[in-house]
Amino acid sequence: MNLQYEIIRSARKSIGITVERDRRVVVRAPHQASDQSVSAAVASRRFWIWQKLRDPNKYPDPLPAKEYVTGETFLYLGQPYTLVLTDGNRGTLKLAGEQFEVTLVDRDRGKELFKAWYLGQARACLNPRIATLAAEMGIGYRRICVRELRYRWASCTPGGTLSFNWRIVQAPMIVVDYLIVHELAHVREPNHSPEFWNLVAVHAPSWASARDWLKQNGSWLEW
Ligand SMILES: [Zn+2]
């Protein structure tokens, strides 16, 4: 791991390390601390830093912002599709074959069009899938809410309201299924207990690959 970090020196007495929401590693050190003692402190906490950097609830690495230009890639259910700007009047975004089409005049509201499109797809895709998996698991829920969530892919309340981030429909279906099963399992098992993971493993057999996919690619879903 080639670890980049920022050093902030101040009148403090000891060296402190934090991993910020945007995954910057910040080392706060006393004025008199040598560079060597700072790097030794970082080295001694490498594993802890590594774990923090992989926390899926952290903000991802800053990605280059989408520009909504021809050739840019957008994911849908794990497949990459190329954006093509087309001539014509203001219209809506559409997925045609291998590509997303947006009219040139709509380029300045590309983000808004994509978000609205994904939100619509997420609602259409998630609601029936949740109903199917809930029936298979014999677990009930009160309400489903598909919306923009900060920091999380999905969550559930003790009252049985399941919330899903619309961004998850960019991921492959095994990831979507895993996230649904994960939240449904929480209705019965609030903690990540062995019983919880047994339940997840039965109903989302690919849960481990799904979780790895999210760890490795999750940041690409945030834009
Ligand atoms: Zn959980």
Side-chain angles (χ1 to χ4, degrees), residues 182 186 192 196:
H182 187 118
H186 274 316
H192 294 134
F196 169 89

Side-chain angles (χ1 to χ4, degrees), residues 152 154 178 182-183 186 189-192 196-197:
R152 323 193 86 187
Y178 160 66
H182 187 118
E183 294 314 316
H186 274 316
E189 300 285 343
N191 301 312
H192 294 134
F196 169 89
W197 287 111

Side-chain angles (χ1 to χ4, degrees), residues 17-25 48-61 150-153 214-215 218-219 222:
I17 303 174
T18 53
V19 178
E20 305 295 318
R21 272 238 170 260
D22 59 5
R23 295 179 196 264
R24 273 179 312 124
V25 178
W48 176 86
I49 295 168
W50 181 84
Q51 283 179 312
K52 288 277 169 194
L53 286 171
R54 272 151 190 78
D55 181 342
N57 294 328
K58 288 269 179 197
Y59 250 172
D61 298 330
R150 293 188 76 191
Y151 313 128
R152 323 193 86 187
W153 302 123
L214 276 175
K215 278 183 190 162
S219 63
E222 303 263 11

Side-chain angles (χ1 to χ4, degrees), residues 79-98:
Q79 291 300 311
Y81 294 91
T82 305
L83 173 61
V84 176
L85 293 181
T86 59
D87 290 330
N89 299 320
R90 272 193 190 281
T92 49
L93 178 153
K94 66 177 174 187
L95 180 59
E98 302 283 291

